Amino acid sequence: TVLRTTKTTKNRGKQFWGCPRYKLGSENGCNFFRWFSDWGVEESISCELLEANDERLVKTFEKQGVKQIFDVQKAVVGLQSWMKYVVVVVSVLFIMNMIIIAMLMGRA
């Protein structure tokens, strides 16, 4: 939010926090404002949080979340496959080393 000063007759000079895109319409701005208090900066709400109430944005966020979950699941499956491969390779190498050591012990 940005600090603005009113120009209306009723509240001329009074300051308020508003959306950076205040008064640009529902397509580009959220029209959020909160009066600036004498105590300092009042708690403000970000434009993104207010715009999240817009059904279109909520659906977009949900789609992004589902895509991220799918990407994580895909990565986990890939890591599981890789780990199975590594376990097989290490097991084969271990068995081969044991056979070689047994053969060397037999010669001694």
Side-chain angles (χ1 to χ4, degrees), residues 48-91:
E48 289 77 18
L49 181 61
L50 292 171
E51 290 171 349
N53 291 328
D54 182 280
E55 186 176 329
R56 180 176 42 99
L57 290 173
V58 171
K59 287 180 182 178
T60 300
F61 292 143
E62 287 173 353
K63 287 178 185 176
Q64 289 174 347
V66 169
K67 183 183 180 315
Q68 288 174 345
I69 290 171
F70 178 75
D71 290 345
V72 169
Q73 287 175 337
K74 190 175 172 183
V76 168
V77 169
L79 286 172
Q80 286 173 336
S81 298
W82 179 250
M83 288 301 294
K84 287 178 186 177
Y85 173 77
V86 168
V87 167
V88 168
V89 169
V90 168
S91 299

Side-chain angles (χ1 to χ4, degrees), residues 93-106:
L93 289 174
F94 177 77
I95 292 170
M96 289 175 64
N97 281 331
M98 295 307 284
I99 292 170
I100 292 170
I101 290 171
M103 290 172 67
L104 290 173
M105 298 287 268

